Amino acid sequence: MEQDELPSDSKLPSEKEWSDMFGVGRSSIRDTLSMLAAARIIETWNGEGTFVHKKTIEAKRVKNGGCVMKRWIMIGLMMVMAALAGCGVPNAKPPGEAKPANKSSDNVKEITVAGNGGKIEKAIREVIAPKFEEKYGIKVNFVPGLSGEILSKVELQKNAPQYDVAFYVPIDVQRAADKGLTEQLDPAAIPNMSKVDPRFVAVDNIGVPVFGLVIAPAYNTKTFEKNGWAPITSWNDLIRPDYKGKTAFADIANDWGFALLYNLANANGGSLDNLEPGLKKAKELARYSDTFYKNSTQMMPAVQQGAADVTVMGSYAIAELIDSGVPLKMVIPKEGAPLQAFSATVVKNAPHKKAAMDFINFLISEESQKQIAERGFYPVLKGMKAAPKYEASIGLKDSDPVFRPDVKKLSEIRAQWTDRWTKEVTPELGKKVKK
């Protein structure tokens, strides 16, 4: 918390998740959390979970160089360690002593994979995992979660890893690598890596792209035709009085929202070294929008129910909405759109390293990628295209100006521009929307 690795307003794992991570009773976890809550370091929001307390974290970072906060955190950690000492943690290693990785998959019975829920979870549980088990005799235990949450759990477990494979969005692949939470991947152990389209790669030899996508605008063709509106061809076309109050844009904390910012910058003479033009345009966009959405589970219903006619989201989500009957058209703007993927990493000192690499190699086999494409993602192998049923809705032409974003640079600048967006863009919401 103190070092911003769990920044203000970050959601913490549940009592059960903490208990599973450390192998201690929930009562011990509850006592520790209660103590931290009493110190106003964390807070519980009814129905939503437990979060890092914003104002207290900021204040205690300043006061006495953070000493007050350190004292409370150390007390909490001592309580957890005391509980650990009393009841033990099966298979856990002392700090600094990691579990040895298996040298082969021969005796491995199961691996644990953490990744996004929804379409990714369904693809792995229903298709990929059964076929992998049939081929290798290894069961796949899948733990669903958001990319940032998975990264936090991997970091908490770094002295006794419980996950073998962790899926991340591109920026979190970089963050995991920077924190030393990933294994360096050997192409000889994952031969299918040689077949991967490099445009999907976030961090070389760290994350292997598996579920490809592009982040792009989309609009309701029926509404546009009815009103005689010109089609969207540029990122700047997202800012029009015509569809005020009928937009679904993600907040800056979401990858889709961050992509909106840096692409608005690109479209207006800026760059990753200067997002100022994008911030200026984002303020205009906010004035014609009622709100910014936190995630896809909020955005997709808004589009599906007709509350929004214009959006920016991942191509797989656009495909899902089209499948549900929404007359959407995805656009690759003339300035370009970022091509990326949900990527698989082998967790540092994974319990079953060899089996984890076998699983990743299986994920990027032609057989698996065909199955993944059938679920609305782009296959990440060279020469493969979107599934025929999605070609008309999200298919990419060779002439489309998609690009590989500079993930390292995006990781470096995100916190700064997230803060600027929160202070300067969010307050502009709805100022030009008639009530």
Side-chain angles (χ1 to χ4, degrees):
M1 294 178 194
E2 185 187 28
Q3 296 173 356
D4 265 345
E5 292 174 2
L6 282 177
S8 301
D9 292 340
S10 292
K11 186 174 182 179
L12 300 177
S14 66
E15 286 181 6
K16 183 180 184 303
E17 290 170 326
W18 283 116
S19 179
D20 290 343
M21 281 182 216
F22 291 105
V24 300
R26 291 178 67 173
S27 60
S28 298
I29 298 296
R30 191 177 299 116
D31 289 345
T32 301
L33 294 177
S34 296
M35 179 272 299
L36 292 173
R40 293 180 60 79
I41 290 173
I42 63 173
E43 58 185 339
T44 300
W45 301 350
N46 288 336
E48 296 189 42
T50 303
F51 297 79
V52 179
H53 194 293
K54 184 173 183 178
K55 292 183 179 178
T56 301
I57 293 301
E58 292 173 351
K60 293 189 176 183
R61 189 179 291 130
V62 175
K63 183 177 180 181
N64 297 327
C67 292
V68 175
M69 183 179 166
K70 287 180 183 176
R71 182 186 66 193
W72 282 107
I73 292 176
M74 287 305 299
I75 292 172
L77 289 174
M78 288 170 65
M79 290 178 67
V80 172
M81 292 303 293
L84 287 171
C87 62
V89 182
N91 301 321
K93 299 288 183 180
E97 183 183 345
K99 294 181 182 179
N102 281 23
K103 293 183 178 179
S104 74
S105 302
D106 295 344
N107 299 317
V108 177
K109 294 183 179 180
E110 60 183 33
I111 60 172
T112 300
V113 177
N116 277 59
K119 297 183 77 170
I120 290 177
E121 180 179 5
K122 285 190 69 176
I124 291 178
R125 284 189 187 277
E126 296 176 6
V127 181
I128 308 298
K131 290 183 179 295
F132 179 75
E133 183 173 5
E134 181 181 337
K135 182 174 181 177
Y136 287 92
I138 300 172
K139 180 182 177 182
V140 176
N141 295 320
F142 189 87
V143 181
L146 296 176
S147 178
E149 295 172 351
I150 293 168
L151 179 58
S152 295
K153 291 178 184 177
V154 169
E155 186 167 19
L156 287 167
Q157 299 170 4
K158 64 183 178 182
N159 290 324
Q162 296 183 25
Y163 300 154
D164 297 293
V165 175
F167 277 91
Y168 300 118
V169 297
I171 289 179
D172 286 337
V173 175
Q174 183 66 56
R175 291 175 64 205
D178 291 343
K179 292 172 180 286
L181 301 175
T182 58
E183 291 284 355
Q184 185 81 11
L185 300 180
D186 179 5
I190 308 177
N192 285 330
M193 282 175 63
S194 64
K195 304 175 185 178
V196 168
D197 185 335
R199 296 177 300 171
F200 287 105
V201 177
V203 183
D204 292 327
N205 296 326
I206 293 292
V208 176
V210 178
F211 296 88
L213 65 129
V214 67
I215 299 176
Y219 63 92
N220 187 305
T221 56
K222 186 176 180 180
T223 301
F224 271 56
E225 289 169 6
K226 177 182 176 182
N227 291 286
W229 296 340
I232 291 173
T233 61
S234 165
W235 289 95
N236 287 325
D237 291 340
L238 297 171
I239 307 165
R240 289 181 185 166
D242 292 332
Y243 26 81
K244 58 187 176 184
K246 296 278 284 182
T247 62
F249 298 126
D251 190 47
I252 190 70
N254 183 290
D255 271 14
W256 298 349
F258 192 41
L260 173 60
L261 172 61
Y262 70 75
N263 280 287
L264 282 173
N266 291 341
N268 291 279
S271 67
L272 295 187
D273 291 318
N274 177 24
L275 294 187
E276 207 69 52
L279 200 73
K280 181 178 179 181
K281 282 291 182 179
K283 292 176 187 178
E284 294 180 38
L285 178 138
R287 293 173 193 133
Y288 293 119
S289 304
D290 279 320
T291 189
F292 291 134
Y293 294 83
K294 287 185 177 181
N295 50 45
S296 62
T297 57
Q298 294 179 352
M299 292 174 67
M300 292 176 71
V303 176
Q304 194 168 29
Q305 295 163 16
D309 295 318
V310 178
T311 187
V312 171
M313 57 177 60
S315 50
Y316 64 93
I318 296 171
E320 185 173 339
L321 286 167
I322 292 172
D323 283 347
S324 73
V326 181
L328 280 186
K329 179 176 176 60
M330 187 184 83
V331 178
I332 301 298
K334 60 186 180 183
E335 300 91 357
L339 193 66
Q340 54 195 67
F342 290 94
S343 298
T345 67
V346 176
V347 174
K348 186 71 173 178
N349 298 317
H352 312 107
K353 180 178 175 181
K354 173 63 169 61
M357 290 193 179
D358 287 341
F359 181 66
I360 291 178
N361 193 57
F362 188 78
L363 283 167
I364 54 174
S365 65
E366 187 172 340
E367 175 189 6
S368 295
Q369 285 296 300
K370 283 181 179 177
Q371 293 295 329
I372 286 169
E374 287 295 321
R375 281 154 178 77
F377 293 95
Y378 296 132
V380 300
L381 301 184
K382 299 170 187 173
M384 289 188 71
K385 295 186 179 294
K389 67 179 179 180
Y390 291 117
E391 191 61 42
S393 57
I394 63 169
L396 296 174
K397 302 187 292 292
D398 291 339
S399 58
D400 283 334
V402 294
F403 61 88
R404 175 184 177 180
D406 185 343
V407 174
K408 185 170 182 60
K409 182 67 175 179
L410 289 171
S411 179
E412 291 170 356
I413 66 174
R414 184 160 188 169
Q416 170 194 352
W417 290 98
T418 295
D419 187 57
R420 291 281 305 276
W421 175 290
T422 302
K423 292 177 179 177
E424 300 176 37
V425 177
T426 302
E428 297 298 312
L429 279 169
K431 287 188 175 180
K432 290 189 177 180
V433 178
K434 274 191 176 180
K435 301 297 182 183

